[in-house]
Amino acid sequence: MLKDITLGQFFPGKSIIHRLDPRTKLVLLVVYIVALFMAVSWISYGVMFVFLTVSITLSRVRLKAFIKGLKPLVFILFFTAILNIFFTTGGTVLVSFWKITITSDGLIRAFFMLIRILMLVTGTFLLTYTTSPIALTDGLESLLSPLKKIRLPVHELSMMMCIALRFIPTLIEETDKIMSAQKARGVDFESGNLMHRVRALIPILVPLFISAFRRADELATAMECRCYHGGDGRTKMKLLRYKFLDIKAYGIGVILLAGVIVLRRFGL
Amino acid sequence: MAPILQVKNLSHIYSIGTPFEHRALDEVSFSVEPGEFIGVIGHTGSGKSTLMQHLNGLLKPTSGQIYLDGKDIWSDKKLTRQARFRVGLVFQYPEYQLFEESVYKDIAFGPKNMGLSADEIDRRVREAADFVGVTEEQLEASPFDLSGGQKRRVAIAGVIAMEPEVLILDEPTAGLDPAGREDILRNIDRYRKEKNATIMMVSHSMNDVARLTQRLMVMSNAKLVMDGTPQEVFNHALELLEMGLDIPELTRIFLELKKLGLDVAPVYTMDQAVEALVKLRGGNSHA
């Protein structure tokens, strides 16, 4: 069912990771990703892996959730691995037939690529699993606020993101409902050729778009009724404040990045 | 008369095998005769909607069978597809499923999916439009230019045009004004009488079901807890209230009268109420 999609799902909790300031988590995620791309050796990957594992353990989010989230990526992962195996040259040739050669370098590279993508996505999941969408957009807005000086509408952008995240489950539910209603009128999504199946989407998409526009209209009216007028002079009930915990987390982030850079310098 | 629809030990469990596992239907059994008007009541989450979606094969039972005309609708793929057409399902707020450029085309969508001839489709569209009171000019209009109540009629016509033998409606009058409600309910009943069709109507309006139906089914916590004539069901008015359900206003008034010590039987229609009061007066007239 459509309901089972775990896109940007948030698992409420009180772990250390949950309690971190969303800004800290966002910055740390960026640091983590940079470090991940600077890692070149088994040792540095090992360090990254330990960091990730410890973070996941601390978050107390069940491992199952991560595995479920990774499922839709299986195809991309597989594809990346295949590409890397077949199109990397160098190293000892292991298998060679027709125009295809598989080398040891290719295998190693494919393996690292796979690990890199897996760790990248898992790290991102950790952020969305432990941070509520509202906290996330608040954090993003706060981090990007310097860009207001160059006239970037930071508040508006974060509000848009917040609303978009909020409406994902609603729209999924709506799609489910419309699909059932049209099935009851005899639409057949499961059989027929490609053209036929694409045609069958029209009775779903038209009502879905119309309802999305209607919702947008209603939401805009509701916001106006509450005197929303954009970010200027708007105060917050929950102010973001760094705690000692966040300083420690930043410290760990710096050490991690520095460590990986140093390892890279020594070619490890 | 042979039952048109038979449900045997139907159970449904959502998200089976996950932490979100949830039993929505628990061993539900009943059978339905042609021409019956059945009201289905129950509070939100009692399993009404899940039950309705089983009857035309949209949901597959976790266990149990559904027989349409004596044949298990899941025993053969063709029968499942047939069930979609022979059992018409009108969802809540059906106007949100309209999508065609004209009312005519939208009503014709169901019959077209059935693979009928152009002439037959045309006849059915016009007849369905007539049933719900959609005028000739409105047929050419865009469904999105209509008012909310008119959209609702068009959406219901879209299901009626498939000429289902069993017509299931999930709160067809929710959010309509009193005149619109009355009109839609009357049209549904007319369809039943003219086609000898079975109607199953989910409703929260006890006044409507008390007035229109000959049979009431009460769902509570995934189970079918009561099934009988409105009189039989409303005799258990107190139990209904305990389940968090409403009862018709008249039943409520008479329940209070009884509490005051007056000797009145439970009623649910105006005629019964008048009769009971006259009787009461007659009995007391000597005093």
mmCIF file of all heavy atoms in Angstrom, chain A residues 1 3-4 62 68 174 177-178 180-188 202-203 206-207 210 214, chain B residues 14-15 19 53 56 58 81 84-85 89 91 96-99 106-107 109-110 113 144 158-159 162:
data_model
loop_
_atom_site.group_PDB
_atom_site.id
_atom_site.type_symbol
_atom_site.label_atom_id
_atom_site.label_comp_id
_atom_site.label_asym_id
_atom_site.label_seq_id
_atom_site.Cartn_x
_atom_site.Cartn_y
_atom_site.Cartn_z
ATOM 1 N N MET A 1 0.825 -1.210 0.000
ATOM 2 C CA MET A 1 0.000 0.000 0.000
ATOM 3 C C MET A 1 0.857 1.257 0.000
ATOM 4 O O MET A 1 1.995 1.261 0.430
ATOM 5 C CB MET A 1 -0.877 0.014 1.265
ATOM 6 C CG MET A 1 -2.140 -0.803 1.176
ATOM 7 S SD MET A 1 -3.223 -0.320 -0.142
ATOM 8 C CE MET A 1 -4.495 0.519 0.800
ATOM 9 N N LYS A 3 0.495 3.697 1.849
ATOM 10 C CA LYS A 3 0.676 4.196 3.212
ATOM 11 C C LYS A 3 2.021 3.792 3.787
ATOM 12 O O LYS A 3 2.503 4.402 4.723
ATOM 13 C CB LYS A 3 -0.423 3.620 4.103
ATOM 14 C CG LYS A 3 -1.683 4.419 4.103
ATOM 15 C CD LYS A 3 -2.684 3.742 5.026
ATOM 16 C CE LYS A 3 -4.070 3.875 4.460
ATOM 17 N NZ LYS A 3 -4.949 2.799 4.869
ATOM 18 N N ASP A 4 2.598 2.727 3.259
ATOM 19 C CA ASP A 4 3.801 2.183 3.866
ATOM 20 C C ASP A 4 5.077 2.942 3.516
ATOM 21 O O ASP A 4 6.156 2.571 3.948
ATOM 22 C CB ASP A 4 3.948 0.712 3.483
ATOM 23 C CG ASP A 4 2.751 -0.090 3.961
ATOM 24 O OD1 ASP A 4 2.170 0.321 4.984
ATOM 25 O OD2 ASP A 4 2.389 -1.077 3.325
ATOM 26 N N ARG A 62 14.864 1.942 15.784
ATOM 27 C CA ARG A 62 15.138 0.552 15.463
ATOM 28 C C ARG A 62 15.766 0.399 14.076
ATOM 29 O O ARG A 62 15.416 1.118 13.146
ATOM 30 C CB ARG A 62 13.862 -0.272 15.558
ATOM 31 C CG ARG A 62 13.458 -0.497 17.009
ATOM 32 C CD ARG A 62 12.212 -1.313 17.084
ATOM 33 N NE ARG A 62 11.246 -0.818 16.104
ATOM 34 C CZ ARG A 62 10.441 -1.607 15.416
ATOM 35 N NH1 ARG A 62 10.497 -2.903 15.591
ATOM 36 N NH2 ARG A 62 9.581 -1.106 14.577
ATOM 37 N N LYS A 68 14.026 -0.629 6.097
ATOM 38 C CA LYS A 68 12.798 -0.396 5.333
ATOM 39 C C LYS A 68 12.967 0.821 4.416
ATOM 40 O O LYS A 68 12.538 0.814 3.266
ATOM 41 C CB LYS A 68 11.646 -0.173 6.301
ATOM 42 C CG LYS A 68 10.305 -0.487 5.678
ATOM 43 C CD LYS A 68 9.205 -0.358 6.718
ATOM 44 C CE LYS A 68 7.871 -0.211 6.026
ATOM 45 N NZ LYS A 68 6.879 0.367 6.921
ATOM 46 N N GLU A 174 -5.076 10.796 0.344
ATOM 47 C CA GLU A 174 -6.027 11.245 -0.677
ATOM 48 C C GLU A 174 -5.902 10.391 -1.941
ATOM 49 O O GLU A 174 -6.899 9.987 -2.535
ATOM 50 C CB GLU A 174 -5.715 12.713 -1.008
ATOM 51 C CG GLU A 174 -6.711 13.338 -1.919
ATOM 52 C CD GLU A 174 -7.669 14.239 -1.184
ATOM 53 O OE1 GLU A 174 -7.453 14.482 0.016
ATOM 54 O OE2 GLU A 174 -8.619 14.691 -1.810
ATOM 55 N N LYS A 177 -7.565 7.117 -1.483
ATOM 56 C CA LYS A 177 -9.022 7.244 -1.539
ATOM 57 C C LYS A 177 -9.509 7.356 -2.973
ATOM 58 O O LYS A 177 -10.453 6.679 -3.375
ATOM 59 C CB LYS A 177 -9.445 8.508 -0.785
ATOM 60 C CG LYS A 177 -10.104 8.232 0.531
ATOM 61 C CD LYS A 177 -10.768 9.488 1.022
ATOM 62 C CE LYS A 177 -10.487 9.719 2.488
ATOM 63 N NZ LYS A 177 -10.684 11.101 2.875
ATOM 64 N N ILE A 178 -8.870 8.235 -3.745
ATOM 65 C CA ILE A 178 -9.301 8.443 -5.130
ATOM 66 C C ILE A 178 -9.122 7.157 -5.927
ATOM 67 O O ILE A 178 -9.976 6.772 -6.722
ATOM 68 C CB ILE A 178 -8.537 9.614 -5.776
ATOM 69 C CG1 ILE A 178 -8.897 10.912 -5.065
ATOM 70 C CG2 ILE A 178 -8.864 9.737 -7.256
ATOM 71 C CD1 ILE A 178 -8.062 12.097 -5.468
ATOM 72 N N SER A 180 -9.276 4.099 -4.837
ATOM 73 C CA SER A 180 -10.354 3.170 -4.500
ATOM 74 C C SER A 180 -11.636 3.573 -5.203
ATOM 75 O O SER A 180 -12.357 2.729 -5.742
ATOM 76 C CB SER A 180 -10.604 3.156 -2.993
ATOM 77 O OG SER A 180 -9.450 2.822 -2.318
ATOM 78 N N ALA A 181 -11.929 4.879 -5.187
ATOM 79 C CA ALA A 181 -13.177 5.351 -5.781
ATOM 80 C C ALA A 181 -13.216 5.045 -7.275
ATOM 81 O O ALA A 181 -14.235 4.620 -7.805
ATOM 82 C CB ALA A 181 -13.337 6.849 -5.536
ATOM 83 N N GLN A 182 -12.087 5.241 -7.956
ATOM 84 C CA GLN A 182 -12.084 4.988 -9.399
ATOM 85 C C GLN A 182 -12.071 3.491 -9.695
ATOM 86 O O GLN A 182 -12.627 3.056 -10.694
ATOM 87 C CB GLN A 182 -10.905 5.681 -10.088
ATOM 88 C CG GLN A 182 -10.809 7.183 -9.842
ATOM 89 C CD GLN A 182 -11.981 7.990 -10.354
ATOM 90 O OE1 GLN A 182 -13.103 7.511 -10.433
ATOM 91 N NE2 GLN A 182 -11.741 9.248 -10.687
ATOM 92 N N LYS A 183 -11.449 2.730 -8.814
ATOM 93 C CA LYS A 183 -11.499 1.279 -8.991
ATOM 94 C C LYS A 183 -12.935 0.805 -8.887
ATOM 95 O O LYS A 183 -13.363 -0.097 -9.595
ATOM 96 C CB LYS A 183 -10.664 0.586 -7.915
ATOM 97 C CG LYS A 183 -9.227 0.349 -8.312
ATOM 98 C CD LYS A 183 -8.628 -0.611 -7.297
ATOM 99 C CE LYS A 183 -7.149 -0.409 -7.141
ATOM 100 N NZ LYS A 183 -6.666 -1.005 -5.889
ATOM 101 N N ALA A 184 -13.687 1.429 -7.973
ATOM 102 C CA ALA A 184 -15.088 1.054 -7.807
ATOM 103 C C ALA A 184 -15.877 1.373 -9.071
ATOM 104 O O ALA A 184 -16.940 0.837 -9.294
ATOM 105 C CB ALA A 184 -15.691 1.785 -6.609
ATOM 106 N N ARG A 185 -15.346 2.280 -9.901
ATOM 107 C CA ARG A 185 -16.014 2.592 -11.170
ATOM 108 C C ARG A 185 -15.379 1.788 -12.307
ATOM 109 O O ARG A 185 -15.591 2.089 -13.475
ATOM 110 C CB ARG A 185 -15.921 4.087 -11.464
ATOM 111 C CG ARG A 185 -16.713 4.907 -10.449
ATOM 112 C CD ARG A 185 -17.276 6.154 -11.064
ATOM 113 N NE ARG A 185 -16.297 7.213 -11.155
ATOM 114 C CZ ARG A 185 -16.501 8.319 -11.877
ATOM 115 N NH1 ARG A 185 -17.606 8.467 -12.571
ATOM 116 N NH2 ARG A 185 -15.588 9.256 -11.901
ATOM 117 N N GLY A 186 -14.567 0.829 -11.952
ATOM 118 C CA GLY A 186 -14.099 -0.110 -12.958
ATOM 119 C C GLY A 186 -12.768 0.188 -13.605
ATOM 120 O O GLY A 186 -12.394 -0.464 -14.569
ATOM 121 N N VAL A 187 -11.996 1.172 -13.099
ATOM 122 C CA VAL A 187 -10.673 1.396 -13.669
ATOM 123 C C VAL A 187 -9.796 0.191 -13.351
ATOM 124 O O VAL A 187 -9.865 -0.356 -12.264
ATOM 125 C CB VAL A 187 -10.011 2.650 -13.067
ATOM 126 C CG1 VAL A 187 -8.612 2.833 -13.606
ATOM 127 C CG2 VAL A 187 -10.833 3.867 -13.383
ATOM 128 N N ASP A 188 -8.992 -0.201 -14.309
ATOM 129 C CA ASP A 188 -8.138 -1.351 -14.114
ATOM 130 C C ASP A 188 -6.687 -0.894 -14.216
ATOM 131 O O ASP A 188 -6.222 -0.545 -15.280
ATOM 132 C CB ASP A 188 -8.463 -2.386 -15.192
ATOM 133 C CG ASP A 188 -7.837 -3.714 -14.881
ATOM 134 O OD1 ASP A 188 -7.166 -3.800 -13.838
ATOM 135 O OD2 ASP A 188 -8.017 -4.645 -15.676
ATOM 136 N N ILE A 202 -5.075 9.121 -15.525
ATOM 137 C CA ILE A 202 -5.773 10.406 -15.630
ATOM 138 C C ILE A 202 -6.872 10.561 -14.573
ATOM 139 O O ILE A 202 -6.918 11.573 -13.888
ATOM 140 C CB ILE A 202 -6.328 10.613 -17.061
ATOM 141 C CG1 ILE A 202 -5.153 10.667 -18.039
ATOM 142 C CG2 ILE A 202 -7.155 11.889 -17.137
ATOM 143 C CD1 ILE A 202 -5.573 10.671 -19.490
ATOM 144 N N PRO A 203 -7.734 9.542 -14.410
ATOM 145 C CA PRO A 203 -8.788 9.687 -13.399
ATOM 146 C C PRO A 203 -8.253 9.814 -11.972
ATOM 147 O O PRO A 203 -8.992 10.166 -11.075
ATOM 148 C CB PRO A 203 -9.601 8.388 -13.535
ATOM 149 C CG PRO A 203 -9.229 7.805 -14.832
ATOM 150 C CD PRO A 203 -7.848 8.273 -15.145
ATOM 151 N N VAL A 206 -6.117 13.931 -12.142
ATOM 152 C CA VAL A 206 -6.946 15.145 -12.218
ATOM 153 C C VAL A 206 -7.590 15.468 -10.864
ATOM 154 O O VAL A 206 -7.408 16.568 -10.350
ATOM 155 C CB VAL A 206 -7.986 15.034 -13.352
ATOM 156 C CG1 VAL A 206 -8.933 16.205 -13.316
ATOM 157 C CG2 VAL A 206 -7.298 14.942 -14.697
ATOM 158 N N PRO A 207 -8.302 14.510 -10.246
ATOM 159 C CA PRO A 207 -8.886 14.843 -8.944
ATOM 160 C C PRO A 207 -7.832 15.180 -7.898
ATOM 161 O O PRO A 207 -8.047 16.036 -7.049
ATOM 162 C CB PRO A 207 -9.634 13.564 -8.542
ATOM 163 C CG PRO A 207 -9.832 12.810 -9.782
ATOM 164 C CD PRO A 207 -8.680 13.147 -10.663
ATOM 165 N N ILE A 210 -6.701 18.755 -8.441
ATOM 166 C CA ILE A 210 -7.763 19.679 -8.055
ATOM 167 C C ILE A 210 -7.846 19.781 -6.540
ATOM 168 O O ILE A 210 -7.936 20.864 -5.978
ATOM 169 C CB ILE A 210 -9.105 19.219 -8.662
ATOM 170 C CG1 ILE A 210 -9.072 19.487 -10.164
ATOM 171 C CG2 ILE A 210 -10.275 19.949 -8.019
ATOM 172 C CD1 ILE A 210 -10.184 18.855 -10.918
ATOM 173 N N ARG A 214 -7.233 23.019 -4.133
ATOM 174 C CA ARG A 214 -8.279 23.438 -3.200
ATOM 175 C C ARG A 214 -7.701 23.554 -1.791
ATOM 176 O O ARG A 214 -7.921 24.524 -1.072
ATOM 177 C CB ARG A 214 -9.404 22.403 -3.225
ATOM 178 C CG ARG A 214 -10.616 22.758 -2.394
ATOM 179 C CD ARG A 214 -11.697 21.708 -2.579
ATOM 180 N NE ARG A 214 -11.180 20.354 -2.526
ATOM 181 C CZ ARG A 214 -10.944 19.691 -1.398
ATOM 182 N NH1 ARG A 214 -11.196 20.255 -0.238
ATOM 183 N NH2 ARG A 214 -10.451 18.477 -1.421
ATOM 184 N N TYR B 14 -5.572 -5.086 9.002
ATOM 185 C CA TYR B 14 -4.697 -4.175 8.253
ATOM 186 C C TYR B 14 -3.250 -4.358 8.681
ATOM 187 O O TYR B 14 -2.973 -4.683 9.833
ATOM 188 C CB TYR B 14 -5.103 -2.723 8.512
ATOM 189 C CG TYR B 14 -6.306 -2.264 7.733
ATOM 190 C CD1 TYR B 14 -7.491 -1.928 8.382
ATOM 191 C CD2 TYR B 14 -6.262 -2.143 6.351
ATOM 192 C CE1 TYR B 14 -8.599 -1.496 7.669
ATOM 193 C CE2 TYR B 14 -7.353 -1.707 5.636
ATOM 194 C CZ TYR B 14 -8.525 -1.385 6.298
ATOM 195 O OH TYR B 14 -9.605 -0.958 5.595
ATOM 196 N N SER B 15 -2.330 -4.092 7.752
ATOM 197 C CA SER B 15 -0.881 -4.135 8.017
ATOM 198 C C SER B 15 -0.484 -5.369 8.810
ATOM 199 O O SER B 15 0.205 -5.266 9.814
ATOM 200 C CB SER B 15 -0.419 -2.893 8.784
ATOM 201 O OG SER B 15 -0.899 -1.738 8.188
ATOM 202 N N PRO B 19 4.041 -3.713 13.327
ATOM 203 C CA PRO B 19 3.581 -3.191 14.626
ATOM 204 C C PRO B 19 2.246 -2.442 14.504
ATOM 205 O O PRO B 19 1.582 -2.189 15.500
ATOM 206 C CB PRO B 19 4.689 -2.227 15.052
ATOM 207 C CG PRO B 19 5.828 -2.452 14.133
ATOM 208 C CD PRO B 19 5.334 -3.165 12.933
ATOM 209 N N GLN B 53 -16.005 -1.737 1.636
ATOM 210 C CA GLN B 53 -15.029 -1.941 0.566
ATOM 211 C C GLN B 53 -14.776 -3.416 0.270
ATOM 212 O O GLN B 53 -14.174 -3.750 -0.746
ATOM 213 C CB GLN B 53 -13.714 -1.247 0.904
ATOM 214 C CG GLN B 53 -13.838 0.257 0.805
ATOM 215 C CD GLN B 53 -12.530 0.953 1.056
ATOM 216 O OE1 GLN B 53 -11.527 0.655 0.435
ATOM 217 N NE2 GLN B 53 -12.522 1.886 1.985
ATOM 218 N N ASN B 56 -17.599 -5.028 -2.657
ATOM 219 C CA ASN B 56 -17.428 -5.003 -4.113
ATOM 220 C C ASN B 56 -16.012 -5.425 -4.505
ATOM 221 O O ASN B 56 -15.557 -5.145 -5.597
ATOM 222 C CB ASN B 56 -17.787 -3.639 -4.688
ATOM 223 C CG ASN B 56 -16.746 -2.592 -4.418
ATOM 224 O OD1 ASN B 56 -15.934 -2.751 -3.511
ATOM 225 N ND2 ASN B 56 -16.741 -1.542 -5.204
ATOM 226 N N LEU B 58 -13.017 -4.493 -3.398
ATOM 227 C CA LEU B 58 -11.883 -3.566 -3.378
ATOM 228 C C LEU B 58 -10.833 -4.038 -2.384
ATOM 229 O O LEU B 58 -9.644 -3.880 -2.594
ATOM 230 C CB LEU B 58 -12.343 -2.165 -2.996
ATOM 231 C CG LEU B 58 -12.830 -1.267 -4.116
ATOM 232 C CD1 LEU B 58 -13.214 0.090 -3.562
ATOM 233 C CD2 LEU B 58 -11.772 -1.104 -5.186
ATOM 234 N N ARG B 81 -14.004 -8.933 -10.777
ATOM 235 C CA ARG B 81 -14.236 -7.744 -11.583
ATOM 236 C C ARG B 81 -15.734 -7.479 -11.746
ATOM 237 O O ARG B 81 -16.173 -6.339 -11.708
ATOM 238 C CB ARG B 81 -13.566 -7.911 -12.949
ATOM 239 C CG ARG B 81 -13.534 -6.622 -13.729
ATOM 240 C CD ARG B 81 -12.433 -6.573 -14.757
ATOM 241 N NE ARG B 81 -12.637 -5.448 -15.654
ATOM 242 C CZ ARG B 81 -12.381 -4.197 -15.361
ATOM 243 N NH1 ARG B 81 -11.904 -3.889 -14.168
ATOM 244 N NH2 ARG B 81 -12.600 -3.233 -16.221
ATOM 245 N N ARG B 84 -17.246 -5.591 -8.911
ATOM 246 C CA ARG B 84 -17.049 -4.134 -8.955
ATOM 247 C C ARG B 84 -18.240 -3.436 -9.576
ATOM 248 O O ARG B 84 -18.589 -2.331 -9.207
ATOM 249 C CB ARG B 84 -15.809 -3.793 -9.783
ATOM 250 C CG ARG B 84 -14.524 -4.282 -9.227
ATOM 251 C CD ARG B 84 -13.876 -3.222 -8.363
ATOM 252 N NE ARG B 84 -12.857 -3.827 -7.545
ATOM 253 C CZ ARG B 84 -11.591 -3.971 -7.916
ATOM 254 N NH1 ARG B 84 -11.197 -3.511 -9.066
ATOM 255 N NH2 ARG B 84 -10.723 -4.552 -7.127
ATOM 256 N N PHE B 85 -18.812 -4.103 -10.609
ATOM 257 C CA PHE B 85 -19.906 -3.466 -11.349
ATOM 258 C C PHE B 85 -21.271 -3.782 -10.750
ATOM 259 O O PHE B 85 -22.166 -2.956 -10.764
ATOM 260 C CB PHE B 85 -19.861 -3.904 -12.817
ATOM 261 C CG PHE B 85 -18.572 -3.528 -13.503
ATOM 262 C CD1 PHE B 85 -17.812 -4.490 -14.138
ATOM 263 C CD2 PHE B 85 -18.128 -2.221 -13.488
ATOM 264 C CE1 PHE B 85 -16.617 -4.143 -14.753
ATOM 265 C CE2 PHE B 85 -16.942 -1.867 -14.103
ATOM 266 C CZ PHE B 85 -16.183 -2.835 -14.742
ATOM 267 N N LEU B 89 -20.317 1.219 -5.367
ATOM 268 C CA LEU B 89 -19.877 1.805 -4.107
ATOM 269 C C LEU B 89 -19.685 3.304 -4.289
ATOM 270 O O LEU B 89 -18.896 3.739 -5.126
ATOM 271 C CB LEU B 89 -18.568 1.130 -3.679
ATOM 272 C CG LEU B 89 -17.939 1.550 -2.367
ATOM 273 C CD1 LEU B 89 -18.925 1.462 -1.230
ATOM 274 C CD2 LEU B 89 -16.741 0.672 -2.064
ATOM 275 N N PHE B 91 -18.338 6.445 -2.437
ATOM 276 C CA PHE B 91 -17.528 6.801 -1.284
ATOM 277 C C PHE B 91 -18.018 8.084 -0.630
ATOM 278 O O PHE B 91 -18.849 8.794 -1.186
ATOM 279 C CB PHE B 91 -16.070 6.982 -1.702
ATOM 280 C CG PHE B 91 -15.330 5.699 -1.828
ATOM 281 C CD1 PHE B 91 -15.420 4.956 -2.987
ATOM 282 C CD2 PHE B 91 -14.567 5.220 -0.786
ATOM 283 C CE1 PHE B 91 -14.746 3.763 -3.097
ATOM 284 C CE2 PHE B 91 -13.888 4.025 -0.895
ATOM 285 C CZ PHE B 91 -13.981 3.299 -2.048
ATOM 286 N N TYR B 96 -15.206 14.491 -5.040
ATOM 287 C CA TYR B 96 -13.765 14.686 -5.242
ATOM 288 C C TYR B 96 -13.167 13.694 -6.233
ATOM 289 O O TYR B 96 -11.973 13.705 -6.489
ATOM 290 C CB TYR B 96 -13.014 14.594 -3.907
ATOM 291 C CG TYR B 96 -13.377 15.700 -2.970
ATOM 292 C CD1 TYR B 96 -13.392 15.525 -1.599
ATOM 293 C CD2 TYR B 96 -13.730 16.955 -3.479
ATOM 294 C CE1 TYR B 96 -13.747 16.549 -0.743
ATOM 295 C CE2 TYR B 96 -14.087 17.978 -2.624
ATOM 296 C CZ TYR B 96 -14.093 17.772 -1.269
ATOM 297 O OH TYR B 96 -14.444 18.788 -0.431
ATOM 298 N N GLN B 97 -14.000 12.800 -6.789
ATOM 299 C CA GLN B 97 -13.450 11.853 -7.760
ATOM 300 C C GLN B 97 -13.785 12.267 -9.187
ATOM 301 O O GLN B 97 -13.407 11.595 -10.136
ATOM 302 C CB GLN B 97 -14.004 10.463 -7.468
ATOM 303 C CG GLN B 97 -15.439 10.311 -7.927
ATOM 304 C CD GLN B 97 -16.121 9.100 -7.350
ATOM 305 O OE1 GLN B 97 -15.729 8.592 -6.305
ATOM 306 N NE2 GLN B 97 -17.136 8.623 -8.027
ATOM 307 N N LEU B 98 -14.528 13.378 -9.360
ATOM 308 C CA LEU B 98 -14.885 13.830 -10.709
ATOM 309 C C LEU B 98 -13.623 14.280 -11.436
ATOM 310 O O LEU B 98 -12.743 14.885 -10.840
ATOM 311 C CB LEU B 98 -15.871 14.999 -10.640
ATOM 312 C CG LEU B 98 -17.194 14.711 -9.934
ATOM 313 C CD1 LEU B 98 -18.025 15.976 -9.844
ATOM 314 C CD2 LEU B 98 -17.964 13.627 -10.650
ATOM 315 N N PHE B 99 -13.540 13.962 -12.725
ATOM 316 C CA PHE B 99 -12.326 14.372 -13.433
ATOM 317 C C PHE B 99 -12.549 14.700 -14.892
ATOM 318 O O PHE B 99 -11.689 15.306 -15.527
ATOM 319 C CB PHE B 99 -11.265 13.269 -13.338
ATOM 320 C CG PHE B 99 -11.611 12.047 -14.136
ATOM 321 C CD1 PHE B 99 -11.067 11.854 -15.398
ATOM 322 C CD2 PHE B 99 -12.491 11.117 -13.648
ATOM 323 C CE1 PHE B 99 -11.400 10.742 -16.145
ATOM 324 C CE2 PHE B 99 -12.826 10.008 -14.385
ATOM 325 C CZ PHE B 99 -12.281 9.813 -15.631
ATOM 326 N N ASP B 106 -18.307 12.152 -17.444
ATOM 327 C CA ASP B 106 -17.974 11.627 -16.129
ATOM 328 C C ASP B 106 -18.941 10.527 -15.714
ATOM 329 O O ASP B 106 -18.538 9.491 -15.187
ATOM 330 C CB ASP B 106 -17.949 12.748 -15.087
ATOM 331 C CG ASP B 106 -16.934 12.451 -14.008
ATOM 332 O OD1 ASP B 106 -17.188 11.521 -13.225
ATOM 333 O OD2 ASP B 106 -15.886 13.111 -13.968
ATOM 334 N N ILE B 107 -20.236 10.756 -15.987
ATOM 335 C CA ILE B 107 -21.214 9.723 -15.641
ATOM 336 C C ILE B 107 -20.980 8.478 -16.504
ATOM 337 O O ILE B 107 -21.156 7.350 -16.058
ATOM 338 C CB ILE B 107 -22.662 10.253 -15.818
ATOM 339 C CG1 ILE B 107 -22.898 11.434 -14.881
ATOM 340 C CG2 ILE B 107 -23.684 9.149 -15.545
ATOM 341 C CD1 ILE B 107 -24.261 12.068 -15.005
ATOM 342 N N PHE B 109 -18.234 7.293 -17.465
ATOM 343 C CA PHE B 109 -16.956 6.639 -17.205
ATOM 344 C C PHE B 109 -17.105 5.189 -16.733
ATOM 345 O O PHE B 109 -16.436 4.283 -17.246
ATOM 346 C CB PHE B 109 -16.167 7.455 -16.168
ATOM 347 C CG PHE B 109 -14.812 6.919 -15.867
ATOM 348 C CD1 PHE B 109 -13.829 6.885 -16.844
ATOM 349 C CD2 PHE B 109 -14.496 6.450 -14.599
ATOM 350 C CE1 PHE B 109 -12.574 6.397 -16.563
ATOM 351 C CE2 PHE B 109 -13.233 5.965 -14.312
ATOM 352 C CZ PHE B 109 -12.285 5.939 -15.297
ATOM 353 N N GLY B 110 -17.992 4.973 -15.772
ATOM 354 C CA GLY B 110 -18.210 3.612 -15.258
ATOM 355 C C GLY B 110 -18.732 2.664 -16.332
ATOM 356 O O GLY B 110 -18.120 1.622 -16.599
ATOM 357 N N ASN B 113 -16.127 1.676 -18.786
ATOM 358 C CA ASN B 113 -15.204 0.669 -18.270
ATOM 359 C C ASN B 113 -15.825 -0.726 -18.297
ATOM 360 O O ASN B 113 -15.114 -1.726 -18.287
ATOM 361 C CB ASN B 113 -14.796 1.002 -16.832
ATOM 362 C CG ASN B 113 -13.790 2.126 -16.785
ATOM 363 O OD1 ASN B 113 -12.982 2.281 -17.700
ATOM 364 N ND2 ASN B 113 -13.834 2.923 -15.737
ATOM 365 N N PHE B 144 -16.806 20.845 -12.834
ATOM 366 C CA PHE B 144 -16.171 21.741 -11.863
ATOM 367 C C PHE B 144 -16.862 23.094 -11.762
ATOM 368 O O PHE B 144 -16.529 23.898 -10.915
ATOM 369 C CB PHE B 144 -14.694 21.890 -12.189
ATOM 370 C CG PHE B 144 -14.004 20.564 -12.217
ATOM 371 C CD1 PHE B 144 -13.615 19.994 -13.413
ATOM 372 C CD2 PHE B 144 -13.796 19.857 -11.037
ATOM 373 C CE1 PHE B 144 -13.022 18.746 -13.435
ATOM 374 C CE2 PHE B 144 -13.210 18.610 -11.056
ATOM 375 C CZ PHE B 144 -12.810 18.055 -12.256
ATOM 376 N N GLY B 158 -22.762 8.721 -11.470
ATOM 377 C CA GLY B 158 -21.673 7.960 -12.079
ATOM 378 C C GLY B 158 -21.670 6.505 -11.641
ATOM 379 O O GLY B 158 -21.251 5.622 -12.389
ATOM 380 N N VAL B 159 -22.114 6.252 -10.417
ATOM 381 C CA VAL B 159 -22.177 4.866 -9.928
ATOM 382 C C VAL B 159 -23.501 4.223 -10.330
ATOM 383 O O VAL B 159 -23.538 3.067 -10.758
ATOM 384 C CB VAL B 159 -21.975 4.821 -8.395
ATOM 385 C CG1 VAL B 159 -22.161 3.408 -7.878
ATOM 386 C CG2 VAL B 159 -20.586 5.339 -8.044
ATOM 387 N N MET B 162 -23.903 2.475 -13.691
ATOM 388 C CA MET B 162 -23.443 1.092 -13.864
ATOM 389 C C MET B 162 -24.565 0.121 -13.520
ATOM 390 O O MET B 162 -24.407 -1.088 -13.631
ATOM 391 C CB MET B 162 -22.214 0.829 -12.996
ATOM 392 C CG MET B 162 -21.065 1.797 -13.292
ATOM 393 S SD MET B 162 -19.469 1.270 -12.639
ATOM 394 C CE MET B 162 -19.778 1.202 -10.915
#
